[in-house]
Amino acid sequence: MSKQINVALIGNPNTGKTSVFNALTGLNQKVGNYPGITVEKKEGICKLPRGVKAHIIDLPGTYSLNASSLDENVVIELLLNKNDKDFPDVAVVISDVENLKRNLLLFTQIKDLEIPTILVINMSDRMAYKGISLDIEYLERKLQTKIALISTRKNKGIDDLKELITNYKDLSTTPCLNASSIDKNYFDNLRKAFPNQLLYKLWLVITQDVNFGKTNRKTIDDVSSFKTKSKTDLKRLQQKETIKRYQFINDTLKKGQTIDLASAKDLRIKLDRILTHKVWGYLIFGVILLTIFQAIYDWSSVPMDFIDSAFASLSEWTKSTLPDGAFTDLLAEGIIAGLGGIVIFIPQIAFLFLFIAILEESGYMSRVVFLMDRIMRRFGLSGKSVVPLISGTACAIPAIMATRNIESWKERLITILVTPFTTCSARLPVYLIIISLVIPEGRFLGLSYQALTLMLLYLIGFGAAVGSAYILNKVLKIRSKTFFVVEMPNYKLPLFKNVALTVIEKTKAFVFGAGKIILAISIVLWFLASYGPGEQFNNAERIVTEQYANVNLNEEELSQKIASHKLEHSFIGVTGRAIEPVIRPLGYDWKIGIAIVSSFAAREVFVGTLATIYSVGSDEEETIKNRMAGEVNPILGGPLFNFASGISLLLFYAFAMQCMSTLAIVKKETNSWKWPMYQLVIMSGFAYLVALIAFQILK
Amino acid sequence: MNAIIQYILAFSALTIALVYLFKTFVWWPKKRTNKSCGNDDCGCH
Amino acid sequence: MTLADLKRGQQGIIKDVSSIHIPLKLLEMGCLPGNLVELVQVAPFADPMYLNINGSHLAIRKETAIHILIETVDEQAD
Ligand SMILES: Nc1nc2c(ncn2[C@@H]2O[C@H](COP(=O)(O)OP(=O)(O)OP(=O)(O)O)[C@@H](O)[C@H]2O)c(=O)[nH]1
Ligand SMILES: [Mg+2]
């Protein structure tokens, strides 16, 4: 078997590397109009003409080979390590036709590494719109490369690119300019000291500046002994190098590219005048958020009720159709009830993902970064922290990974630590069901109270994130320099396919990822709720019948009493009542207590757990919502889910750290168990305290 | 007879559930840290 | 004068970027002597600043902008 060709897709952020990757491999990696969507290596296989196969590697975007953040570092580590199994046989540099000049800087650097290189000029569909025309032959000659002019949106030129990759052996490896002329002496000495090494590679290793995280660069040869120049001198040289490269690029493009400004149109200026305006910008941002919350409520209440009652009837039907027995009960009371607790939230989750995808694909996200930087900085965050905080509303895990493009380690660490406060989609089910139980239905200025409560909860989440960032900024004694340079991408009409794919993929991940856990937990809970130790459980029927001997109960009421007596004395009832003293001051009963404990695995397990417990404890098949509304507080009387306990629960979920996966990712990104453990203890402790105070005041 | 089959089914479901939970929550820290996990929400819910 | 002194909509030519407070990344994104720079938009308190440098659109903070020396362009262009 012949070896696969290793192909690395390299380029500035947001030039369409992932779009090209998807086009070549047929995969669906996430694409978005924001620099820094891809933060780690992704791999795929591409079938080339004549039966050749290529192993394609999608990489995070980088502006140059001088990494200034962790995601960019991935690219440098790969290119500097010849022994890496992914070291490219051919580098495909993806550029954006609108930003060709800036994109070519990285290209010239890669050429200096003497790797066979193809230049892809992407987004050719925008050329006419921008009045750009290119002299491809001239550019190929000047840049010593082969060029593929493509458009992934219009699906043009992909085959040419495949052809070029197949024939990568014909590509030239000559650098297109001589960078070492910036300081001849220094480079001559360097060459003498390490005669076997590529000069430009040495220079890169010497000048790498690591300030964005704890990286170990064992993979790269140690040349630190050769730092004969001071840091400032090195930086001067790098500046000189950059200027020299740009001179070359300007010369090249002067002849190779013509831009007819008269025919260039630009929507950007008009839109930015409003969207980044001092007043309007913030106002519009607020309106967008409000619309999202209102929509999550209004558009999804119908499908939600429909799903809820469909599951209730399904459960009913199962019980009446299948033969009696343990498995039928497990199916009806455990599995179907538990699954109903997750499926019911699909509409809202899908809407939430839809909005986030549109914000990302349109280019608006960078405007929010711009608007928020100044405010965030006061709290020790960076404007770039806004992206994790916003995408954290979907899920904290990708959000925490998205912090990799924050340059300063301190800002990054703080962002990682506070991101779990943002209201992730797993909290949404808990919020929605409790809000619908305890918040009245009226409207205020066209916005329902329930939607406003939801928005308030999101704001509390952001507030908690920002507030704790402020404290962390004061407490953490990490010195790391900060700087802030963000690209403002052009607006793009969100591509329906990209948006739809994101929504489907994410919703699927929500349903199946959470679904499996919820299913498993429901099954276990059902057993714990259906079996119990000792006299009280085994002889429940006799005990209850005797107890109510004098009271006139009909058949149905009696069996209801028996069922709940059994539940109280089942394994789960016994455990639940053991922990009840801890949560009673918050206004919860033992069933809620069990739901809270099980939702430390993942928050959305809460509703499913309650659904299973209630379902075992009663005869009738009911919707989840009606069951919760019918619960009675065992001590105080009245509905269990009333305003006081409802608010207390909402606040508990707003602050508590209840997601194992998030803890694991924090461990991975910070390289220590210390930070996730702090998060777990401090956040959950705080949640308990706030919920306690809220209930005691409101009750 | 029927009841026995029902019990067997129910308890095998329990076993599968327990094994699954054990694998995801007790075993995984070691396994998943190596696995690359990007935007696809690996186990985020 | 420095970049921080530009008014919204004003243009200038970059003169000097050799200060050590300017991150290399900014130069790599095209902020180099001789290039035309336009202040597209400012956030409240003129910070951060949204620039168009020779067709590259980017935002930087004021603390960086005060280290970039520029010269204004005469209004004759319009
Ligand atoms: N008009 C047009 N837009 C494109 C084309 N290819 C990609 N895009 C858009 O460009 C944006 C960036 O695409 P990505 O593929 O995420 O870019 P990337 O280089 O992987 O970005 P990072 O991972 O953030 O570095 C998305 O909004 C795409 O829809 C194209 O050929 N034409
Ligand atoms: Mg990408």
Side-chain angles (χ1 to χ4, degrees), chain A residues 11-20 30-38 58-61 122-126 150-154 360-361 492 495 498:
Chain A
N12 286 13
N14 213 33
T15 52
K17 295 174 296 300
T18 306
S19 304
V20 172
K30 185 167 168 193
V31 163
N33 189 10
Y34 171 79
I37 293 272
T38 311
D58 183 23
L59 291 163
N122 188 20
M123 317 218 188
S124 59
D125 53 302
R126 305 270 299 174
I150 70 169
S151 162
T152 54
R153 277 220 173 174
K154 297 268 175 310
E360 279 175 349
E361 258 288 279
K492 289 213 170 87
L495 198 61
N498 287 348

Side-chain angles (χ1 to χ4, degrees), chain C residues 3-4 9-10 22 29-31 36 40 44-45 69 71 75:
Chain C
L3 197 53
Q10 248 185 346
I22 302 175
M29 288 172 83
C31 179
L36 188 70
V40 179
F45 305 103
L69 303 183
E71 205 166 71
E75 302 286 297

Side-chain angles (χ1 to χ4, degrees), chain C residues 6-77:
Chain C
L6 272 185
K7 299 259 164 341
R8 212 182 75 172
Q10 248 185 346
Q11 295 186 330
I13 300 278
I14 299 171
K15 282 290 144 195
D16 184 67
V17 288
S18 54
S19 157
I20 52 155
H21 298 287
I22 302 175
L24 185 64
K25 189 166 175 183
L26 192 55
L27 308 194
E28 288 165 351
M29 288 172 83
C31 179
L32 290 170
N35 279 351
L36 188 70
V37 52
E38 181 192 341
L39 184 61
V40 179
Q41 184 69 276
V42 287
F45 305 103
D47 191 14
M49 313 173 84
Y50 176 175
L51 309 170
N52 174 358
I53 302 179
N54 237 5
S56 246
H57 295 258
L58 42 101
I60 62 172
R61 288 178 184 165
K62 200 171 180 176
E63 62 194 32
T64 314
I66 55 172
H67 297 289
I68 301 174
L69 303 183
I70 59 156
E71 205 166 71
T72 39
V73 187
D74 300 328
E75 302 286 297
Q76 77 206 78

